[in-house]
Amino acid sequence: MSEIDPYEDLKRQTSEAKERFASEVEGATMTVVKDDGVHRHLSFRFPKASWGWCEVVTWPGMLTLRGGLGCWSFTRVDDMLDFFRPGPNSERINPTYWAETLAHGLGSEATEYDADRALAYVRQAVAAAVQAHTHITAQDAEDWLFSDWCDADFSTEADLMRTLGRFEARVDADRPPGGTPEEYAASEFVFPVGDWDLHRYSDWYLLSCAVLPWAVEQYDAVVVPVG
């Protein structure tokens, strides 16, 4: 079973995004530029935040959040403020579900390749091979993986695949002569890259997820009549 848990990673990232927003929201202001039914333009300034400002624009079936956080466009219901309005029986931040409503091609990407996670998967696969094949030592595997021949680089998915190809060539070259058929098996190291979750939600996307329900609350406090 994999020791890598993307769900736990997401929980940690989401918690960090909430904490960051809480530390940067003090002194924030909202200006209602336009408020005509579901046609709205809300402008926000954050004097303590490194990203400074953002604006929320809605029209029928769409909401766009843009500014220092990037640009994110969502589509699901006629009035998208309803979609992000915090409710007593729903999660305040739901990045996975909300990502499903992103209008692709109209803003930033919610996920990004995670080089650290890719390396963790590789090390896990190498450790499994070391355990399964007695003629391979952990030190040998480490030396092969990070040899000059492999030129290990996990910066992108293409770099990951190139590194793994070079690693397999290094293993073939260093296989001792006169070994058993098992020692010459081509499947000593198995890298099921297609089964690996190599992407994480971007920090900017998760911070935007923290901003959206707060922004709706600010609008409701000013515009929605009480009672």
Side-chain angles (χ1 to χ4, degrees):
M1 179 178 293
S2 175
E3 298 175 2
I4 300 160
D5 190 341
Y7 177 72
E8 286 300 320
D9 284 348
L10 176 57
K11 286 174 58 179
R12 174 187 53 77
Q13 280 187 272
T14 302
S15 177
E16 290 173 354
K18 291 178 181 177
E19 291 174 3
R20 177 178 177 181
F21 181 61
S23 70
E24 296 181 334
V25 71
E26 184 180 353
T29 61
M30 177 185 72
T31 301
V32 179
V33 180
K34 180 182 180 64
D35 185 34
D36 181 11
V38 297
H39 296 272
R40 307 181 187 90
H41 181 183
L42 313 176
S43 178
F44 299 90
R45 293 292 182 270
F46 299 87
K48 290 196 172 183
S50 60
W51 38 278
W53 69 280
C54 70
E55 59 184 11
V56 173
V57 179
T58 67
W59 64 101
M62 292 290 299
L63 179 148
T64 292
L65 170 70
R66 64 175 293 274
L69 296 162
C71 182
W72 314 94
S73 294
F74 302 85
T75 178
R76 178 54 58 94
V77 298
D78 184 61
D79 187 349
M80 288 298 292
L81 287 196
D82 288 342
F83 185 77
F84 292 107
R85 185 169 281 114
N89 299 316
S90 62
E91 296 181 53
R92 183 174 179 84
I93 299 176
N94 194 340
T96 303
Y97 176 46
W98 293 356
E100 295 174 2
T101 73
L102 281 168
H104 297 290
L106 296 180
S108 307
E109 291 295 328
T111 60
E112 59 190 13
Y113 171 76
D114 187 344
D116 290 337
R117 187 182 295 179
L119 177 57
Y121 276 119
V122 170
R123 288 192 183 279
Q124 181 174 270
V126 169
V130 169
Q131 189 172 16
H133 299 278
T134 57
H135 66 285
I136 304 171
T137 69
Q139 187 60 55
D140 282 342
E142 188 79 2
D143 291 344
W144 289 334
L145 181 60
F146 293 102
S147 67
D148 291 339
W149 184 334
C150 288
D151 191 21
D153 185 358
F154 301 92
S155 302
T156 68
E157 290 185 67
D159 292 326
L160 166 67
M161 299 306 295
R162 187 161 42 248
T163 296
L164 294 181
R166 289 172 177 166
F167 173 70
E168 290 170 349
R170 176 76 269 178
V171 172
D172 290 339
D174 277 15
R175 206 175 264 123
T180 66
E182 188 271 343
E183 290 172 338
Y184 281 91
S187 59
E188 292 167 323
F189 292 90
V190 179
F191 299 104
V193 179
D195 296 333
W196 294 349
D197 183 354
L198 296 174
H199 292 78
R200 69 197 287 272
Y201 285 99
S202 77
D203 292 335
W204 289 118
Y205 169 70
L206 293 175
L207 189 55
S208 297
C209 288
V211 169
L212 281 166
W214 172 87
V216 175
E217 288 178 331
Q218 306 315 298
Y219 171 81
D220 288 349
V222 172
V223 175
V224 176
V226 178

